[in-house]
Amino acid sequence: MAVTEARATQAVEAVFRIESARIIAGVTRIVRDVGIAEELAQDALVAALEQWPESGVPDRPGAWLMATAKHRAIDLVRRKETYARKLAEVGRSLEDVPPPEPGDFNSTEDPHHIDDDLLRLIFTACHPVLSTEARIALTLRLLGGLTTDEIARAFLASEPTVAQRIVRAKRTLGRAGVPFEVPYGPERAARLDSVLEVIYLIFNEGYSATAGDDWLRPALCEDALRLARVLAGLMDKEPEVHGLVALLELQASRVAARTGPDGAPVLLADQNRSRWDRLLIRRGYAALERANAAGDAPGPYALQAAIAACHAHAVTYEETDWRVIATLYGLLLKAAPSPVVELNRAVAVSMAQGPEAGLALVDALAGDPALRAYHLLPSVRGDLLARLGRTDEARAEFRRAADLTRNARERALLLARAEKESGAER
């Protein structure tokens, strides 16, 4: 039954946002090029916009788009290479794939096969041959379904910059001959680290924005969490995948309480914990159990999830078990040495043993070049100095932190803390 053009457009956009990653993955298996696969997926989208207002929205619109894109991929392969050679590569079963007809999608291919393609796409988009920025942009484009404009706005970059980043990433993958496959052995471990890092960085940018007027970008948190859940469904035997899911679920549970009505940041000590999402917390606990079920030493993401779980267990800020958290940070420091982890450990130690102990650890980090422009170093030091009653020094540290941050909300918070110390001195 025909539908209005507006309703058809709405349906196409909604379905494509959900199914685009699977469509691109399925087509990439045929054409072996993510750039061409994305173009063919877009062609299927255009075909739906043209046909659905007259033919009606199919009962299985995602299958319609997949079949349309794959049919065009097969036509392209047949035009570019000899018929016999390509049949040997992609299988004789493709020879009889007919053009799609609306409503005729009762017998689709094995969904597990599509999941395999999706896993291949994740590993391809996050290949270490790409820069971190390129991996993030390409992952959000191919797997998150975000437009170039949406990615640019999320990371406060210009749209042409992001567009070029994505184009260069596709070309780099092609020039490097990156195979469309899930690696195994040592290469798989290295590539999985890259995949997890990209999802983690996307979430962190949403959870605490590096720059701009907003402290939170919840949509990025949601995209990262969705990608992590997809990855866990595809790689359910990998403990660190579940560790990452656990961490993101538990961190995401606090999002609603992290800002006030006016969008201003609310620090952990001041958050209304009744606003923490209990469903996400339960999901985080369950994922952490799966991460620990292997019995191996927990990895960095599982350890961070365990720290987040300690916060979730505490009914009030005062009930937080900082000794356990400090111990977990010590383990994390051994598993993934980093001055940022050491800084976080210093905070936990200051809560467990007193601000003097924490300040000694922070001062030991003062000369680390990796933290020279890191605004949280003077922010943490300012907090410790304030707790010790050293108001002049605390005020100066908060102002230095405010000068270093590029986030307007965080700058206002730090300047307010500096002003508070001025009031305390009077």
Side-chain angles (χ1 to χ4, degrees):
M1 182 177 67
V3 296
T4 65
E5 184 173 345
R7 182 172 177 271
T9 299
Q10 186 179 31
V12 171
E13 291 176 349
V15 173
F16 192 76
R17 186 67 174 252
I18 296 169
E19 298 290 340
S20 60
R22 290 179 180 273
I23 295 169
I24 293 169
V27 174
T28 302
R29 178 163 52 88
I30 299 172
V31 299
R32 300 287 164 172
D33 186 302
V34 293
I36 294 173
E38 187 185 11
E39 291 174 6
L40 292 170
Q42 293 288 339
D43 287 346
L45 176 67
V46 172
L49 290 170
E50 292 172 348
Q51 297 179 35
W52 290 7
E54 294 182 8
S55 63
V57 178
D59 291 337
R60 301 181 63 190
W64 192 100
L65 289 168
M66 176 72 83
T68 300
K70 284 191 171 183
H71 182 73
R72 294 186 180 212
I74 295 163
D75 283 345
L76 178 65
V77 166
R78 287 171 174 166
R79 286 197 304 269
K80 291 181 70 173
E81 300 189 24
T82 65
Y83 185 71
R85 177 183 171 190
K86 202 55 201 178
L87 284 182
E89 292 181 9
V90 302
R92 292 188 176 277
S93 61
L94 295 177
E95 184 177 7
D96 300 321
V97 175
E101 296 294 337
D104 184 24
F105 295 103
N106 293 323
S107 58
T108 58
E109 62 183 86
D110 183 356
H112 296 295
H113 196 90
I114 296 175
D115 284 347
D116 288 344
D117 290 338
L118 189 58
L119 187 58
R120 294 185 185 102
L121 183 62
I122 291 173
F123 274 89
T124 301
C126 297
H127 196 285
V129 73
L130 303 175
S131 69
T132 299
E133 293 81 4
R135 279 180 253 163
I136 290 173
L138 193 59
T139 299
L140 287 175
R141 174 72 175 211
L142 299 181
L143 292 152
L146 273 67
T147 64
T148 303
D149 177 59
E150 287 171 327
I151 299 169
R153 281 189 281 114
F155 286 90
L156 301 181
S158 70
E159 189 171 349
T161 296
V162 171
Q164 282 300 311
R165 193 172 289 165
I166 293 171
V167 168
R168 285 196 298 268
K170 295 173 187 175
R171 288 175 181 167
T172 300
L173 291 175
R175 285 196 301 268
V178 174
F180 185 62
E181 64 182 16
V182 178
Y184 293 92
E187 185 185 356
R188 177 167 179 162
R191 293 268 293 276
L192 181 58
D193 287 346
S194 175
V195 172
L196 298 178
E197 179 191 27
V198 166
I199 297 174
Y200 179 67
L201 289 174
I202 292 170
F203 182 90
N204 275 356
E205 184 59 31
Y207 194 71
S208 184
T210 304
D213 296 328
D214 298 316
W215 199 39
L216 290 177
R217 296 195 181 112
L220 276 181
C221 292
E222 292 167 7
D223 283 326
L225 188 49
R226 179 169 55 83
L227 290 171
R229 288 170 179 166
V230 168
L231 188 61
L234 299 174
M235 304 186 72
D236 63 349
K237 304 298 184 185
E238 294 286 348
E240 269 292 77
V241 174
H242 294 297
L244 178 64
V245 172
L247 173 60
L248 302 194
E249 299 275 12
L250 290 165
Q251 295 289 77
S253 72
R254 306 182 207 161
V255 165
R258 277 173 57 77
T259 54
D262 61 350
V266 178
L267 299 178
L268 182 63
D270 303 320
Q271 287 175 19
N272 178 357
R273 298 193 175 209
S274 68
R275 299 190 66 201
W276 288 8
D277 191 317
R278 305 312 300 181
L279 174 60
L280 291 178
I281 290 173
R282 289 196 296 273
R283 292 181 66 133
Y285 290 161
L288 186 55
E289 285 183 10
R290 287 192 288 273
N292 293 331
D296 300 327
Y301 294 110
L303 286 168
Q304 291 178 76
I307 292 167
C310 284
H311 288 296
H313 279 301
V315 177
T316 66
Y317 183 77
E318 292 70 26
E319 294 177 42
T320 306
D321 194 335
W322 290 105
R323 291 188 180 278
V324 170
I325 291 176
T327 299
L328 288 169
Y329 269 121
L331 294 174
L332 179 60
L333 195 60
K334 292 179 181 178
S338 158
V340 174
V341 173
E342 180 62 31
L343 181 61
N344 285 319
R345 188 175 81 90
V347 173
V349 168
S350 79
M351 298 302 296
Q353 301 176 23
E356 297 93 342
L359 185 61
L361 294 174
V362 170
D363 285 345
L365 292 169
D368 195 308
L371 299 180
R372 185 171 293 120
Y374 189 53
H375 70 283
L376 290 182
L377 178 63
S379 174
V380 168
R381 193 168 189 275
D383 181 69
L384 296 175
L385 290 168
R387 288 166 57 190
L388 289 168
R390 295 160 61 176
T391 55
D392 282 347
E393 295 171 88
R395 183 169 61 252
E397 290 295 313
F398 286 133
R399 285 176 176 165
R400 186 161 75 91
D403 289 339
L404 289 173
T405 185
R406 292 187 291 137
N407 185 280
R409 293 287 188 178
E410 199 162 22
R411 182 181 300 110
L413 173 67
L414 290 164
L415 290 175
R417 297 200 69 188
E419 184 63 27
K420 181 180 178 183
E421 292 309 311
S422 297
E425 187 181 27
R426 290 194 292 271

